[in-house]
């Protein structure tokens, strides 16, 4: 029997719920979604959701919550003024990490010798609005990741090594703390990069999926 547009949309919605719950990975989701919009009969549609719970039955997939713009923006007042969870990092023939929901001290110092460090400020909180991060490396490396909304200034130099961070320099969104990164590298390297936060990546991925679905509907139309 020929499938209708409404039936194809029902299958697509079940697939969206499944990927939101983690029942499908993105590759599986995209393959099944493409097959759903190309399907012409019930026999082609039903196998796509045969191993997934149907809406209205026991264990239905939770509806996809649409992310609002506020959820993808940083609320700086709630991120500033917390007791620090770390005042520094040290690596000797090894490594250290500071990432996730941690609180940066207003004066943070890190050193790496024959080792490396990873400092991620994208989800971090701050003890003070004015923060200084001092980085030193000898025959090692330290990488710093900052979000697009953070006010960052990078200073430093290297001897038989390098400090890269000019592209990360810039103002953040209103209320952002001011982070000054002072770096020195001797026969090593220190890099500072701006990267999107998890919420922003998810929003972009969602927008791309919606764009693909829209193209699929146009092709069918």
């Amino acid at each position: 029997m020929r499938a209708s547009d409404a039936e194809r949309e029902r299958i697509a919605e079940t697939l969206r719920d499944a990927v939101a719950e983690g029942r499908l990975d993105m590759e599986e989701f995209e393959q099944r979604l493409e097959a759903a919009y190309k399907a012409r009969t019930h026999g082609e549609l039903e196998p796509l959701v045969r191993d997934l719970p149907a809406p209205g039955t026991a264990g239905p997939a939770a509806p996809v919550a649409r992310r609002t713009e506020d959820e993808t923006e940083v609320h700086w007042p709630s991120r500033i003024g917390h007791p620090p969870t770390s005042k520094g990092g040290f690596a000797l023939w090894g490594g250290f990490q500071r990432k996730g929901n941690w609180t940066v001290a207003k004066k943070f110092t890190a050193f790496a010798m024959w080792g490396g460090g990873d400092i991620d400020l994208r989800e971090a909180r701050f003890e003070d609005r004015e923060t200084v991060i001092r980085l030193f490396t000898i025959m090692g490396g330290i990488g710093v990741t900052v979000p697009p909304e953070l006010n960052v200034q990078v200073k430093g130099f290297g001897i038989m090594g390098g400090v890269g961070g000019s592209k990360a320099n810039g103002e953040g969104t209103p209320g952002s703390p001011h982070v000054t990164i002072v770096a020195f590298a001797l026969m090593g390297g220190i890099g500072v990069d701006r990267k999107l936060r998890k919420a922003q990546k998810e929003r972009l991925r969602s927008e791309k999926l919606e764009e693909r679905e829209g193209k699929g509907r146009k092709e069918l139309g």
Side-chain angles (χ1 to χ4, degrees), residues 56-75:
T57 62
V64 179
R66 295 295 178 184
R67 186 176 296 277
T68 64
E69 187 67 23
D70 290 341
E71 288 177 288
T72 60
E73 294 179 349
V74 178
H75 183 249

Side-chain angles (χ1 to χ4, degrees), residues 5-142:
D5 287 341
E7 289 167 331
R8 278 187 282 268
E9 280 298 325
R10 175 179 61 82
I11 296 298
E13 189 61 35
T14 301
L15 293 173
R16 282 191 285 268
D17 290 345
V19 75
E21 284 192 323
R23 299 178 189 273
L24 295 176
D25 59 33
M26 288 304 300
E27 184 176 355
E28 275 187 301
F29 169 72
E30 292 177 1
Q31 289 174 350
R32 295 193 190 195
L33 188 66
E34 183 179 4
Y37 282 122
K38 289 182 178 179
R40 298 298 181 186
T41 66
H42 288 287
E44 293 172 310
L45 282 175
E46 294 305 324
L48 300 175
V49 294
R50 187 173 293 158
D51 58 344
L52 302 174
T57 62
V64 179
R66 295 295 178 184
R67 186 176 296 277
T68 64
E69 187 67 23
D70 290 341
E71 288 177 288
T72 60
E73 294 179 349
V74 178
H75 183 249
W76 287 119
S78 65
R79 293 249 192 134
I80 300 171
H82 299 272
T85 59
S86 180
K87 294 184 179 181
F90 178 80
L92 177 62
W93 293 99
F96 70 87
Q97 278 191 340
R98 298 291 184 273
K99 62 195 306 184
N101 295 318
W102 66 295
T103 303
V104 191
K106 61 182 179 181
K107 290 185 178 180
F108 180 93
T109 303
F111 174 79
M113 182 173 181
W114 297 317
D118 181 12
I119 301 170
D120 194 331
L121 302 180
R122 287 176 293 180
E123 305 298 334
R125 298 183 295 180
F126 298 83
E127 179 186 14
D128 194 83
R129 188 173 297 278
E130 296 290 331
T131 300
V132 177
I133 297 178
R134 298 179 296 180
L135 307 175
F136 305 92
T137 182
I138 299 175
M139 298 181 70
I142 298 177

